[in-house]
Amino acid sequence: MRGRIHSLDTFGTVDGPGIRFVLFMQGCALQCGFCHNPDTWETATGRVVEVASVLDEIEPFLPYYRSSNGGLTVTGGEPTLQAPFVAALFREAKKRWNLHTALDSSGFCEPDHAGELMDVTDLVLLDLKHIRSDKHQALTSQPNERILRFARWLSDRGQPVWIRHVLIPGITDDAADLMELGRFIGSLGNVHKLEVLPYHRMGVYKWEQLGKAYPLEHVPTPSDRELERAKRLIEQGREQA
């Protein structure tokens, strides 16, 4: 089984529990204005690899993953675009080492495309970028109905999920929107953790290298106080659900 990847990280610490091997897949249907990996968007670029070669990259670092209760995370781009490959990789990592598996996804995926993958996924890191479809489309180039449908499907099957929301001043920080996001999250029965993450500009140089204009050029990074406010509003919405 072959897949097309962008890169890998053998010592990830922010993509699920513990220390993790993080595999970045190539290709994404969204084009988020704050994306820090715009070089993953194109589906025909990147490097073609076999499942076995990825497993060979993982094996030397198994003691770190096991001792930290970590594991393997596949992200992107959007990993569900290559769901059969990711499913095969997760299945073999479990068969060989019983390794914890996590999928970092935008949720822009139809459920009937992901059943086999979810069967071998221990945790989904679900990025809910905006609760309002019109604002979601303005930010990412796509509406969010498919994403919310995927989130409900994950809840219905009891798939453990961490919800992630990137706080972008002036774009994803409206109080009413945050409350509505909280109400949606509160309607799900499988959310084990909520992470409100600060928007950052670490990927701007990649936009420049690709000759792309960066859409959020004048948007600042949110303060700790703004992050606390956003999480408080989301939690208030969850309580109302």
Side-chain angles (χ1 to χ4, degrees), residues 188-205:
L188 307 176
N190 61 333
V191 178
H192 292 209
K193 186 176 183 179
L194 168 66
E195 295 182 316
V196 179
L197 305 175
Y199 158 76
H200 62 72
R201 298 171 52 83
M202 291 169 57
V204 173
Y205 74 95

Side-chain angles (χ1 to χ4, degrees), residues 218-232:
H218 302 294
V219 177
T221 298
S223 66
D224 290 343
R225 186 174 181 178
E226 289 172 310
L227 289 169
E228 292 167 5
R229 166 190 173 271
K231 190 161 187 178
R232 184 173 65 253

Side-chain angles (χ1 to χ4, degrees), residues 31 38-39 41-42 204 206-215:
Q31 295 190 1
D39 47 343
W41 291 353
E42 295 296 330
V204 173
K206 292 186 179 181
W207 289 74
E208 295 171 349
Q209 289 176 347
L210 294 169
K212 295 179 181 290
Y214 185 64

